[in-house]
Amino acid sequence: MTTFPAPTQETQVCELDIEGMTCASCVRRVERSLAKVDGVQEARANLAMEQAQVRGTAPLPALLAAIERAGYHASPVEPEETASDPDDLVAGQARIARRKLRDIIIGVLFTAPVLVLATFFMDRFPRENLLMLLLALPVWAYVGRDFNVGALRALRHGTANMDTLIALGSSVAYLYSAWATFFRSSAVTYFDTAAAIVVLISVGKYLEARSRSGAGEAIRRLAGLSARSARVLYGGIEVEVPLSRVQIADILVVRPGEKIPTDGVVLEGTASVDESMITGESVPIVKDPGDEVIGATVDTDGLLKVRATRVGKDTALARIIRLVEQAQGSKVPAQRLADQISQYFVPAVLLIALGTYLGWVLSGHSGTNAMVAAVAVLVIACPCALGLATPTAIMVGTGRGAENGILIKGAESLERMRQITEIVLDKTGTITRGRPAVTEVLQLDGAGVARGSRELLQLVASVEQGSEHPLARSVVELARGEGITLVGDVRDFAVIAGGGVEARVGSKQVLIGNRRLLLNRGIELDGHDRQIAALEARGRTIMLVAVGGRLAGAIALADTAKEGSAQAIGELHNLGIGVTMLTGDNPRTAGTIADEVGIDRVVAEVRPEDKAAEIKRLQDGGKVVAMVGDGINDAPALAQADAGIAMGTGTDIAMEAADVTLVQGDLRALPLAIHLSRATVGIIRQNLFWAFFYNVVLIPLAVFGKISPIFAAAAMALSSVTVVSNSLRLRGTRQATLLAAGVFLLAVVLVGLGVILTLR
């Protein structure tokens, strides 16, 4: 007797590849089977990705055995596979698509003469039925083998799925016709129906597979970004090794035009790095020694030596891929009804088909006519559309988000984002840059105020170039950015307790500090109190500069709003969403930033531990609240909010607590995230409507004999393609929109024909 090892106590997420799932009822069966395993906390299967995600403490062998008992085959997905072997995924899907296309060609070659014989040459020459039997045999037995094998596998495990419906429908038509050929030569045969059912549904499956391949394009693009190899320095010699062999602390050499192999820190060199594939930022970022770099980004113009800090599944790219995959395996609440229905769908269709047959026979019709109606019922049912309605939309929606630097954790996050009525923004690092920047450089003298003195900026930056203080670094960065050459002859540099520094620059004695420091040194403000007070009233931090014992100027600094913050807040207002700023700063500074970017409401001087309480107060007032933050102190508020949104430039703790991460740290991605959530949930609801609509309208038509089995096969194939192509509209491309419009028009025509037939 086989025994499994005891479950570990550590909760983990296990991803499994599932073979054999064909419809929503398969998804439900896999989930229920996994849920029965001891230690499983949550199990989700995804028809579009043909995978399952299991959270809990259950051991892997127990999970694999549960799926085998349900009638499917499973294998574990290693986390590294997605990032390191994207070509294998693409090649595997391409092989499946080629096989399906080959089967369709074979099917068409044999089905076409069967249709011609049945339509135009019936009873024209002897042994016609035998010829059609031989022509239809490879279609039924070979082209339809996946359906037949899937049905037998389901039967062996005491279940039924979509394969059961298709195999039963085509097999009844073929086997009845074969029996009639040998034992009732005068009876009507349906070899054309059997062959056409298999071919039409195979065409639908092929188109569905192609569309689903497009839905998963984002994952493949992300996976394909990774470098395949790296140049590693060993004893001063460059050695090219596979990416999988790179280890933490290895020194990597990156030349212009090459991808940075893995996350790291620049040791030597300066280069502009294109990070658009990760952050969406189109402008290359200059990287100097000490700066962090992201794996898969491109060195555009300089030689870099980089120390690897994260490798394999721990890199930023791998984590992004993992987040997107987890999101694509999730479900919105609207899918729960479809899941519950799918559990009973196939058995219900089998009963309806049996009832149809009996009803026709008992009402005086021939057994042949009854059989045709029952076959139409079996074939018209489309559980595939129910199973694909949610995952395809989520795959495309989250994939498009990832391509735009928006990471959405799951379908429930999408649902919550759609309902937001109020967004609460942390100030520092979210609306603002999170570090001071020089806003004004003023030269002060007895004649008044002159702006932008390069000489004053040169003096201050020359003194401050040796300081690590954030204000000092901001002044030095501005001077260098404006091409000012710093003076090297700086002597007697000293930090003064109480807020300042002094040094001798050439022949000049320079003192830099706050108002109190200068007054303590006996340096008067010479009537410039009003100008300085006006800057302070606007939330500026002032560095006063004295040269030779007299006030020479002032430099004003502030944590300025990020580029695009005002635009983002304006777009949020256009979406009908209120905006609140939550900050620990004083009301004066907070009000200045709020006025600059157009914030509706400001809550200032909030302690970190009180942020979550403020979110709760808004929720108690009936608002659906999203919190946007970037710091450790924002994590409780992010968790309290209906939707937590983290800035990708912030801390890992904030990102873990959030539902959505804006990778680039740009608020302009926030309106896009909300629009994408609304569009994705809208598409899901449309898909579920169409999936139900096909069944509710067309199954009754089949019951009453208004739809032929061939027509039913075309409708069933089209139902899945309609759902998937509708999801592809989220990609926002013209081709996807045209495809969806064409399929939708075809669907309308098909349903319209069914209605016309009913009225006749």
Side-chain angles (χ1 to χ4, degrees), residues 189-267:
T189 58
Y190 295 93
F191 292 114
D192 55 336
T193 298
I197 287 172
V198 172
V199 171
L200 286 171
I201 294 179
S202 295
V203 170
K205 283 289 182 184
Y206 171 73
L207 295 175
E208 175 191 315
R210 290 288 303 272
S211 299
R212 282 160 60 177
S213 175
E217 186 65 28
I219 284 285
R220 286 195 296 280
R221 277 192 206 156
L222 287 170
L225 293 175
S226 175
R228 308 298 293 183
S229 62
R231 290 190 182 91
V232 182
L233 278 179
Y234 291 111
I237 299 174
E238 290 183 27
V239 179
E240 187 166 349
V241 300
L243 186 62
S244 59
R245 300 293 298 275
V246 175
Q247 299 179 355
I248 293 175
D250 279 350
I251 307 302
L252 313 177
V253 178
V254 186
R255 291 187 169 82
E258 294 180 346
K259 290 181 179 179
I260 295 172
T262 189
D263 296 0
V265 175
V266 177
L267 296 179

Side-chain angles (χ1 to χ4, degrees), residues 84-106:
S84 61
D85 296 312
D87 293 339
D88 292 347
L89 177 64
V90 176
Q93 292 186 338
R95 282 194 300 272
I96 293 172
R98 284 196 299 270
R99 183 178 68 81
K100 289 182 181 294
L101 183 59
R102 184 183 67 245
D103 288 350
I104 289 169
I105 292 172
I106 294 172

